[in-house]
Amino acid sequence: MTVPQRRLGELEVSALGLGTLGMSDLYGPADEQESIATLHAAFDAGITLVDTGDFYGSGHNELLIGRALAGRRREDVVLSVKFGARRGPDGSFLAAGYDVSPAAVLDRLAYTLRRLGTDYVDIYRPSRFNPEIPVEDTIGALLELQTAGYIRAIGLSEAGAETVRRAAAVAPINDLQIEYSLLSRGPERAVMPVLRELGIGLTAYGVLSRGLLSGHWDAGRRLTAGDFRAISPRFQGDNLTANLRLVEALRGVAERLGATTAQVAIAWVAAQGDDVVPLVGARTRDRLGESLGASGLILDADTLREIETAVPAGAASGARYPARAMADLDSER
């Protein structure tokens, strides 16, 4: 199977991207060899967009991707990298806020380039904005890196509509990465209209709501230490019970289509516009293979209505992050 291509801002990328956080962090143990094999399988299937962050596994994820890229043509892969989050030696996220200062922009990219084994990044983006650091300062520093050839394009992450406008007034913005799924419809209200007005693409992460919409989750699943879902509101108690009812309704649609629940959830995101590229967080070749099946799934207008009846906008129970993390989201202010 070859994944079709799609425009993401000014770049041509695969219509399905690979998010790699789970290969290093926050979702339980991962096998490095299987992770690299999954990356290779993604490349071979035509996935060109690979998303990471310098704080994923405190640098481990970038090193992993660098190993997977060895021997491959660099120009065949579009690397999207986030920066800004700060972590302690125990892996904890520091509460002091995100460092997206101009000095940090330069410093963090230097380490990213070394870990990835490349001399440029295709899309570089602050993972969150810090209210104490003007958006204009951060984007100005990124523009200098772009002019110098160290990055091809500037991206944003979890930015609200006003911040998108402020950033775009300083430099061309390629795309906004934001959580967007059947259970997270917030971007539709104010952010997506601004993106389309300005010609900015949308990279959707969390398209399976961290596994909730995969069709593989059940209420009795035991989580390992450090798994983010142990503190995620949507996976707790009555919230989980209510959300799994929505998944069962979606499963009914998938069965009629001869597809899996995950494939329908991914295809729904992809169907929201040619300017939207879903990221799938597959950690194994099996899960990647299932996700790739979404590329060939065409949802007509009647099916889209059926899906939205099964999982209506606003039906999710629980916030998408714990309260402390929600406070860091410019997109939610």
Side-chain angles (χ1 to χ4, degrees), residues 49-56 62 65 74 78-83 108-109 112-113 115-116 118 120-127 142 153 155 177:
L49 178 63
V50 177
D51 182 74
T52 183
D54 64 9
F55 50 92
Y56 288 4
E62 290 179 326
I65 292 171
R74 172 65 183 87
V78 176
L79 291 175
S80 166
V81 181
K82 294 183 291 295
F83 70 94
R108 301 297 283 272
L109 181 61
T112 282
L113 294 175
R115 286 190 290 257
L116 288 171
T118 184
Y120 71 95
V121 165
D122 297 279
I123 313 172
Y124 200 47
R125 67 182 86 239
S127 57
L142 289 168
Q177 187 175 121

Short mmCIF file of all heavy atoms in Angstrom, two decimals, residues 49-56 62 65 74 78-83 108-109 112-113 115-116 118 120-127 142 153 155 177:
data_model
loop_
_atom_site.label_atom_id
_atom_site.label_comp_id
_atom_site.label_asym_id
_atom_site.label_seq_id
_atom_site.Cartn_x
_atom_site.Cartn_y
_atom_site.Cartn_z
N LEU A 49 5.84 11.98 6.44
CA LEU A 49 5.78 12.92 7.57
C LEU A 49 5.98 12.17 8.87
O LEU A 49 5.19 11.28 9.23
CB LEU A 49 4.43 13.64 7.58
CG LEU A 49 4.21 14.61 8.74
CD1 LEU A 49 5.21 15.76 8.71
CD2 LEU A 49 2.77 15.15 8.73
N VAL A 50 7.03 12.52 9.60
CA VAL A 50 7.34 11.91 10.88
C VAL A 50 7.44 13.01 11.92
O VAL A 50 8.19 13.97 11.75
CB VAL A 50 8.67 11.11 10.82
CG1 VAL A 50 9.01 10.55 12.20
CG2 VAL A 50 8.57 9.99 9.80
N ASP A 51 6.68 12.86 13.00
CA ASP A 51 6.62 13.90 14.03
C ASP A 51 7.29 13.42 15.31
O ASP A 51 7.06 12.30 15.77
CB ASP A 51 5.16 14.25 14.33
CG ASP A 51 5.07 15.36 15.37
OD1 ASP A 51 5.35 16.52 15.01
OD2 ASP A 51 4.74 15.06 16.54
N THR A 52 8.09 14.32 15.90
CA THR A 52 8.77 14.02 17.16
C THR A 52 8.87 15.29 17.98
O THR A 52 8.37 16.35 17.62
CB THR A 52 10.17 13.41 16.89
OG1 THR A 52 10.77 13.05 18.15
CG2 THR A 52 11.07 14.39 16.16
N GLY A 53 9.53 15.18 19.13
CA GLY A 53 9.80 16.33 19.99
C GLY A 53 11.11 16.09 20.68
O GLY A 53 11.46 14.94 21.00
N ASP A 54 11.88 17.14 20.93
CA ASP A 54 13.18 16.93 21.56
C ASP A 54 13.05 16.44 22.99
O ASP A 54 14.00 15.91 23.57
CB ASP A 54 14.05 18.18 21.47
CG ASP A 54 13.50 19.37 22.23
OD1 ASP A 54 12.53 19.24 23.00
OD2 ASP A 54 14.06 20.48 22.05
N PHE A 55 11.86 16.59 23.57
CA PHE A 55 11.62 16.15 24.94
C PHE A 55 10.98 14.77 25.01
O PHE A 55 10.72 14.26 26.09
CB PHE A 55 10.73 17.17 25.66
CG PHE A 55 9.48 17.53 24.90
CD1 PHE A 55 8.30 16.85 25.10
CD2 PHE A 55 9.50 18.57 23.98
CE1 PHE A 55 7.16 17.18 24.39
CE2 PHE A 55 8.37 18.91 23.26
CZ PHE A 55 7.19 18.21 23.46
N TYR A 56 10.69 14.14 23.88
CA TYR A 56 10.16 12.78 23.88
C TYR A 56 11.25 11.83 24.36
O TYR A 56 12.26 11.61 23.68
CB TYR A 56 9.74 12.35 22.48
CG TYR A 56 8.50 13.00 21.91
CD1 TYR A 56 7.80 13.99 22.60
CD2 TYR A 56 8.00 12.60 20.67
CE1 TYR A 56 6.67 14.57 22.06
CE2 TYR A 56 6.86 13.17 20.13
CZ TYR A 56 6.20 14.15 20.82
OH TYR A 56 5.06 14.71 20.27
N GLU A 62 14.49 11.28 19.26
CA GLU A 62 15.26 11.80 18.14
C GLU A 62 16.41 10.86 17.78
O GLU A 62 16.70 10.64 16.59
CB GLU A 62 15.79 13.19 18.46
CG GLU A 62 14.69 14.25 18.52
CD GLU A 62 15.21 15.62 18.85
OE1 GLU A 62 16.18 15.72 19.64
OE2 GLU A 62 14.67 16.60 18.32
N ILE A 65 14.90 7.95 15.84
CA ILE A 65 14.59 8.31 14.45
C ILE A 65 15.86 8.45 13.63
O ILE A 65 15.93 8.04 12.47
CB ILE A 65 13.75 9.60 14.42
CG1 ILE A 65 12.36 9.35 15.02
CG2 ILE A 65 13.61 10.13 12.99
CD1 ILE A 65 11.53 10.59 15.23
N ARG A 74 17.65 11.46 2.95
CA ARG A 74 17.08 12.45 3.88
C ARG A 74 15.92 13.21 3.27
O ARG A 74 14.92 13.51 3.94
CB ARG A 74 18.19 13.42 4.32
CG ARG A 74 17.73 14.61 5.13
CD ARG A 74 17.15 14.20 6.47
NE ARG A 74 16.64 15.36 7.19
CZ ARG A 74 15.41 15.85 7.05
NH1 ARG A 74 14.55 15.29 6.21
NH2 ARG A 74 15.04 16.91 7.75
N VAL A 78 9.94 14.05 5.76
CA VAL A 78 9.63 15.38 6.29
C VAL A 78 9.61 15.27 7.81
O VAL A 78 8.69 14.66 8.38
CB VAL A 78 8.29 15.90 5.75
CG1 VAL A 78 7.94 17.25 6.38
CG2 VAL A 78 8.33 16.02 4.23
N LEU A 79 10.62 15.83 8.45
CA LEU A 79 10.74 15.74 9.91
C LEU A 79 10.10 16.97 10.56
O LEU A 79 10.49 18.10 10.30
CB LEU A 79 12.21 15.66 10.31
CG LEU A 79 12.95 14.37 9.95
CD1 LEU A 79 14.43 14.49 10.31
CD2 LEU A 79 12.32 13.18 10.65
N SER A 80 9.13 16.71 11.41
CA SER A 80 8.46 17.75 12.19
C SER A 80 8.90 17.60 13.64
O SER A 80 8.74 16.53 14.23
CB SER A 80 6.94 17.59 12.07
OG SER A 80 6.27 18.37 13.03
N VAL A 81 9.47 18.65 14.21
CA VAL A 81 10.06 18.58 15.55
C VAL A 81 9.49 19.69 16.43
O VAL A 81 9.45 20.86 16.04
CB VAL A 81 11.59 18.71 15.50
CG1 VAL A 81 12.18 18.61 16.91
CG2 VAL A 81 12.20 17.65 14.59
N LYS A 82 9.09 19.32 17.65
CA LYS A 82 8.62 20.28 18.65
C LYS A 82 9.71 20.49 19.70
O LYS A 82 10.51 19.60 19.97
CB LYS A 82 7.35 19.76 19.33
CG LYS A 82 6.15 19.67 18.40
CD LYS A 82 4.91 19.21 19.13
CE LYS A 82 4.99 17.77 19.58
NZ LYS A 82 5.07 16.82 18.43
N PHE A 83 9.70 21.67 20.30
CA PHE A 83 10.64 21.98 21.37
C PHE A 83 9.92 22.84 22.41
O PHE A 83 8.81 23.31 22.19
CB PHE A 83 11.86 22.74 20.82
CG PHE A 83 11.54 24.15 20.38
CD1 PHE A 83 11.72 25.22 21.25
CD2 PHE A 83 11.03 24.42 19.11
CE1 PHE A 83 11.41 26.52 20.87
CE2 PHE A 83 10.74 25.71 18.72
CZ PHE A 83 10.91 26.76 19.59
N ARG A 108 18.17 24.54 21.45
CA ARG A 108 17.47 23.26 21.33
C ARG A 108 17.63 22.68 19.93
O ARG A 108 17.76 21.46 19.77
CB ARG A 108 16.00 23.42 21.69
CG ARG A 108 15.75 23.94 23.11
CD ARG A 108 16.25 22.99 24.19
NE ARG A 108 15.38 21.87 24.38
CZ ARG A 108 14.33 21.85 25.21
NH1 ARG A 108 14.03 22.92 25.93
NH2 ARG A 108 13.60 20.77 25.34
N LEU A 109 17.61 23.53 18.91
CA LEU A 109 17.76 23.02 17.56
C LEU A 109 19.14 22.41 17.35
O LEU A 109 19.29 21.39 16.66
CB LEU A 109 17.51 24.11 16.52
CG LEU A 109 17.63 23.65 15.07
CD1 LEU A 109 16.60 22.57 14.74
CD2 LEU A 109 17.51 24.82 14.10
N THR A 112 18.98 18.95 18.59
CA THR A 112 18.09 18.16 17.74
C THR A 112 18.79 17.71 16.47
O THR A 112 18.70 16.55 16.06
CB THR A 112 16.82 18.99 17.39
OG1 THR A 112 15.94 18.97 18.52
CG2 THR A 112 16.09 18.42 16.19
N LEU A 113 19.50 18.63 15.82
CA LEU A 113 20.19 18.28 14.58
C LEU A 113 21.22 17.18 14.82
O LEU A 113 21.36 16.26 14.01
CB LEU A 113 20.86 19.52 13.99
CG LEU A 113 19.93 20.64 13.50
CD1 LEU A 113 20.73 21.86 13.05
CD2 LEU A 113 19.02 20.15 12.37
N ARG A 115 21.23 14.88 17.27
CA ARG A 115 20.59 13.60 17.59
C ARG A 115 19.96 12.96 16.36
O ARG A 115 19.99 11.74 16.20
CB ARG A 115 19.54 13.80 18.69
CG ARG A 115 20.15 14.02 20.08
CD ARG A 115 19.10 13.98 21.16
NE ARG A 115 18.22 15.12 21.12
CZ ARG A 115 18.29 16.16 21.97
NH1 ARG A 115 19.23 16.20 22.90
NH2 ARG A 115 17.43 17.15 21.87
N LEU A 116 19.37 13.77 15.50
CA LEU A 116 18.73 13.22 14.30
C LEU A 116 19.74 12.88 13.21
O LEU A 116 19.40 12.16 12.26
CB LEU A 116 17.71 14.23 13.74
CG LEU A 116 16.43 14.40 14.55
CD1 LEU A 116 15.62 15.58 14.01
CD2 LEU A 116 15.58 13.12 14.50
N THR A 118 21.17 15.06 11.07
CA THR A 118 20.82 15.81 9.88
C THR A 118 21.30 17.25 10.03
O THR A 118 21.67 17.67 11.14
CB THR A 118 19.29 15.78 9.65
OG1 THR A 118 18.97 16.45 8.43
CG2 THR A 118 18.55 16.46 10.79
N TYR A 120 19.32 19.82 8.79
CA TYR A 120 18.13 20.69 8.76
C TYR A 120 16.91 19.92 9.25
O TYR A 120 16.88 18.68 9.20
CB TYR A 120 17.87 21.24 7.35
CG TYR A 120 17.37 20.21 6.36
CD1 TYR A 120 16.01 20.05 6.11
CD2 TYR A 120 18.27 19.38 5.67
CE1 TYR A 120 15.55 19.10 5.20
CE2 TYR A 120 17.81 18.44 4.76
CZ TYR A 120 16.45 18.29 4.53
OH TYR A 120 16.00 17.35 3.64
N VAL A 121 15.93 20.66 9.71
CA VAL A 121 14.63 20.11 10.11
C VAL A 121 13.59 20.70 9.17
O VAL A 121 13.66 21.89 8.82
CB VAL A 121 14.31 20.45 11.58
CG1 VAL A 121 12.84 20.23 11.89
CG2 VAL A 121 15.18 19.63 12.51
N ASP A 122 12.64 19.89 8.75
CA ASP A 122 11.64 20.37 7.78
C ASP A 122 10.64 21.33 8.42
O ASP A 122 10.34 22.38 7.86
CB ASP A 122 10.92 19.19 7.15
CG ASP A 122 11.88 18.32 6.36
OD1 ASP A 122 12.19 18.67 5.22
OD2 ASP A 122 12.34 17.30 6.91
N ILE A 123 10.10 20.97 9.57
CA ILE A 123 9.17 21.85 10.29
C ILE A 123 9.61 21.89 11.75
O ILE A 123 9.74 20.86 12.40
CB ILE A 123 7.71 21.34 10.22
CG1 ILE A 123 7.32 20.95 8.80
CG2 ILE A 123 6.75 22.41 10.76
CD1 ILE A 123 5.96 20.26 8.70
N TYR A 124 9.83 23.09 12.25
CA TYR A 124 10.25 23.26 13.65
C TYR A 124 9.19 24.11 14.34
O TYR A 124 8.76 25.14 13.80
CB TYR A 124 11.61 23.94 13.69
CG TYR A 124 12.37 23.76 14.98
CD1 TYR A 124 12.49 22.50 15.58
CD2 TYR A 124 12.99 24.84 15.60
CE1 TYR A 124 13.21 22.33 16.76
CE2 TYR A 124 13.73 24.68 16.77
CZ TYR A 124 13.82 23.42 17.35
OH TYR A 124 14.53 23.26 18.51
N ARG A 125 8.77 23.67 15.52
CA ARG A 125 7.64 24.35 16.15
C ARG A 125 7.75 24.34 17.68
O ARG A 125 8.19 23.34 18.27
CB ARG A 125 6.34 23.69 15.74
CG ARG A 125 6.13 22.27 16.25
CD ARG A 125 4.83 21.64 15.76
NE ARG A 125 4.96 21.00 14.46
CZ ARG A 125 4.24 21.35 13.40
NH1 ARG A 125 3.33 22.30 13.50
NH2 ARG A 125 4.39 20.71 12.25
N PRO A 126 7.35 25.43 18.34
CA PRO A 126 7.24 25.40 19.80
C PRO A 126 6.09 24.49 20.20
O PRO A 126 5.02 24.53 19.60
CB PRO A 126 6.95 26.87 20.17
CG PRO A 126 6.37 27.46 18.92
CD PRO A 126 6.97 26.73 17.77
N SER A 127 6.32 23.64 21.18
CA SER A 127 5.27 22.69 21.59
C SER A 127 4.13 23.38 22.31
O SER A 127 2.98 22.94 22.24
CB SER A 127 5.87 21.60 22.47
OG SER A 127 6.50 22.17 23.60
N LEU A 142 12.69 31.83 15.01
CA LEU A 142 12.50 30.74 14.06
C LEU A 142 12.70 31.23 12.62
O LEU A 142 13.26 30.51 11.78
CB LEU A 142 11.09 30.15 14.22
CG LEU A 142 10.87 29.32 15.49
CD1 LEU A 142 9.39 29.03 15.69
CD2 LEU A 142 11.65 28.02 15.43
N ALA A 153 10.51 25.12 7.34
CA ALA A 153 9.22 25.76 7.58
C ALA A 153 9.00 25.92 9.07
O ALA A 153 9.56 25.19 9.89
CB ALA A 153 8.09 24.94 6.96
N GLY A 155 6.29 25.90 12.17
CA GLY A 155 4.99 25.37 12.58
C GLY A 155 4.61 25.87 13.96
O GLY A 155 5.43 26.43 14.69
N GLN A 177 -0.13 22.19 14.62
CA GLN A 177 -0.38 20.86 15.16
C GLN A 177 -1.28 21.00 16.38
O GLN A 177 -0.99 21.78 17.29
CB GLN A 177 0.94 20.18 15.54
CG GLN A 177 0.78 18.74 15.95
CD GLN A 177 2.11 18.07 16.22
OE1 GLN A 177 2.37 17.59 17.32
NE2 GLN A 177 2.97 18.04 15.21
#
